[in-house]
Amino acid sequence: EKWPYRHYMQKEIYEQPTVVGETLKNLIHAADRTISVSQTAVGLDLAAVQAVTIVACGTSYHAGMVAKYWIEQQARVPVNVDVASEYRYRNTPMAAGSLMIVISQSGETADTLAALRHAKAQGQQVLGVVNVPESTIDREADATLYTLAGPEIGVASTKAFTTQLTVLACLALALAKARGQLSPEDERRHVEDLLQIPARIEQVLTHDDKLQEVGRQLMHASGFLFLGRGAQFPIALEGALKLKEISYIHAEGYAAGEMKHGPIALIDEELPVVVVAPKDGLHEKTISNVEEVKARGGRVVMIHTAGESTGVAADFEVGIAPCGEFAAPILYVTPLQLLAYHIAVHKGTDVDQPRNLAKSVTVE
Ligand code: F6R
């Protein structure tokens, strides 16, 4: 039942504080601010992991891309991320000591399942990050970490994504800890940040009316560009995917630093550019991209840290409560989900059942 919400997607966006909180409970000891995902809890030899391969499709693939930044930074293990439909046909060798992580909301995606079977045939350990218990991927993986998103009805994935990120953030910290790369202070700091995320998502949801108005003003655009850097680059990709899926407006996500290598040619008054620009180590670089867009007459929607001056006037600004850089991607996707949602509602598309899309892709 979606009441009092108008669409399942909207309900699921609003459920995120709760389901991220539920998912976190399984992965951390809140009282002592430590990670509880461990070798024994997962049943896999995390300390021995030499390399990680992450395979998934669509939104789950974007979660995997964020995880690459997290695992490489925290655990100092090299990570490869691939879309399942490419990975499975490439016949890639997996080095001994590699861990494969497959991410799937449904646990039934045909290409992701095939990638899992390929890795297992090579004797690799496979860890599933799955939302549907007893799904095929859950049953076939050596171990599973569950996203406790509950049933996701809207075809466009929202709460499954933020809970995937929650699991993957904790897994990155667990890997780092198992490998002796995580100091107790950093563990405490990151866990405290993660614990704040549900309340901070609530705060992002208070921008709903504003994003509805931004959507109203931009709904007639024929294309959008989404930019981000670092772990926010996959968030930009996810923002573009959400918009494409439900509003049928073409959108492209780009690493902000790549803009000058091509897409800058597209910038004019007609193409809105959504920039994910929290106050992090790469903030100034991203702001210089915003300046380049403004200098060419582009319209900018800036998602930035509330209370921090960005030094550049965007056309629309959405201020997000400050949070630690590590957990920030979990927070910054929600304004993009809401923007896509409102543009689709303004356009009158079928938000929960967009044309040509299926919730679970069990065919190749
Ligand atoms: C996007 C979306 C799809 C799925 C993809 C993978 O909103 O829903 O891109 O993310 O089909 O599905 P799962 O996670 O079930 O393997």
Side-chain angles (χ1 to χ4, degrees):
E1 193 31 70
K2 59 181 186 270
W3 189 87
Y5 297 100
R6 197 166 155 194
H7 298 97
Y8 281 106
M9 182 187 181
Q10 185 188 29
K11 172 175 181 257
E12 289 162 3
I13 291 171
Y14 272 81
E15 279 172 353
Q16 290 178 115
T18 310
V19 294
V20 165
E22 286 298 315
T23 301
L24 264 181
K25 270 190 211 156
N26 264 355
L27 306 164
I28 56 179
H29 293 300
D32 54 6
R33 306 290 195 249
T34 57
I35 286 288
S36 65
V37 184
S38 65
Q39 227 65 351
T40 31
V42 184
L44 298 175
D45 190 358
L46 297 182
V49 171
Q50 299 298 315
V52 173
T53 300
I54 303 178
V55 178
C57 301
T59 288
S60 299
Y61 168 68
H62 294 153
M65 285 183 74
V66 176
K68 174 184 169 80
Y69 288 84
W70 282 340
I71 295 172
E72 289 190 344
Q73 269 159 26
Q74 300 297 325
R76 315 303 303 160
V77 180
V79 180
N80 260 316
V81 195
D82 219 335
V83 286
S85 55
E86 285 301 315
Y87 177 85
R88 63 175 294 195
Y89 296 117
R90 220 171 54 242
N91 197 18
T92 328
M94 283 188 81
S98 301
L99 172 69
M100 174 175 274
I101 304 173
V102 294
I103 309 169
S104 177
Q105 186 285 126
S106 62
E108 302 294 349
T109 302
D111 285 324
T112 309
L113 179 60
L116 173 157
R117 289 177 176 160
H118 171 78
K120 282 194 78 176
Q122 294 192 49
Q124 299 296 325
Q125 308 190 97
V126 179
L127 174 63
V129 176
V130 169
N131 194 47
V132 179
E134 292 304 316
S135 56
T136 311
I137 291 175
D138 179 23
R139 283 186 277 108
E140 293 197 16
D142 296 303
T144 300
L145 289 173
Y146 295 100
T147 50
L148 301 185
E152 194 180 58
I153 310 288
V155 164
S157 186
T158 53
K159 63 176 180 170
F161 181 69
T162 40
T163 54
Q164 284 166 346
L165 292 180
T166 303
V167 167
L168 293 163
C170 294
L171 178 62
L173 296 176
L175 263 171
K177 206 170 161 180
R179 291 172 49 83
Q181 299 283 342
L182 187 69
S183 70
E185 302 77 64
D186 283 348
E187 178 175 9
R188 190 187 176 84
R189 186 163 55 87
H190 293 321
V191 170
E192 276 173 2
D193 249 2
L194 287 168
L195 282 168
Q196 299 280 332
I197 288 290
R200 284 174 172 142
I201 301 176
E202 292 284 4
Q203 211 165 9
V204 172
L205 294 172
T206 66
H207 295 298
D208 201 358
D209 289 348
K210 175 159 195 182
L211 285 157
Q212 181 176 28
E213 175 55 20
V214 175
R216 196 186 61 76
Q217 293 195 36
L218 299 178
M219 65 180 277
H220 299 294
S222 54
F224 273 72
L225 190 60
F226 287 74
L227 301 176
R229 280 180 188 258
Q232 301 285 5
F233 160 46
I235 298 302
L237 294 178
E238 175 59 10
L241 179 62
K242 286 287 90 83
L243 188 67
K244 277 184 276 210
E245 286 184 291
I246 59 170
S247 76
Y248 315 144
I249 297 176
H250 178 69
E252 196 168 10
Y254 241 86
E258 273 288 295
M259 189 180 71
K260 58 169 72 67
H261 300 283
I264 198 165
L266 296 170
I267 308 284
D268 61 13
E269 304 76 32
E270 304 301 320
L271 180 89
V273 182
V274 180
V275 188
V276 186
K279 188 83 179 174
D280 59 17
L282 298 168
H283 184 249
E284 275 165 35
K285 304 265 176 217
T286 307
I287 293 305
S288 75
N289 298 122
V290 175
E291 283 163 350
E292 287 161 4
V293 173
K294 286 310 299 168
R296 287 160 184 82
R299 283 184 294 175
V300 173
V301 180
M302 186 141 63
I303 318 291
H304 67 100
T305 306
E308 296 278 354
S309 110
T310 56
V312 55
D315 301 78
F316 307 95
E317 293 188 3
V318 179
I320 305 298
C323 79
E325 191 168 334
F326 175 69
I330 310 175
L331 205 55
Y332 277 72
V333 72
T334 293
L336 308 187
Q337 295 166 339
L338 285 170
L339 181 63
Y341 172 75
H342 286 302
I343 291 177
V345 173
H346 286 309
K347 294 193 76 161
T349 58
D350 188 346
V351 171
D352 284 333
Q353 291 278 307
R355 67 185 183 203
N356 308 339
L357 288 171
K359 183 66 188 161
S360 177
V361 184
T362 52
V363 291
E364 297 176 2

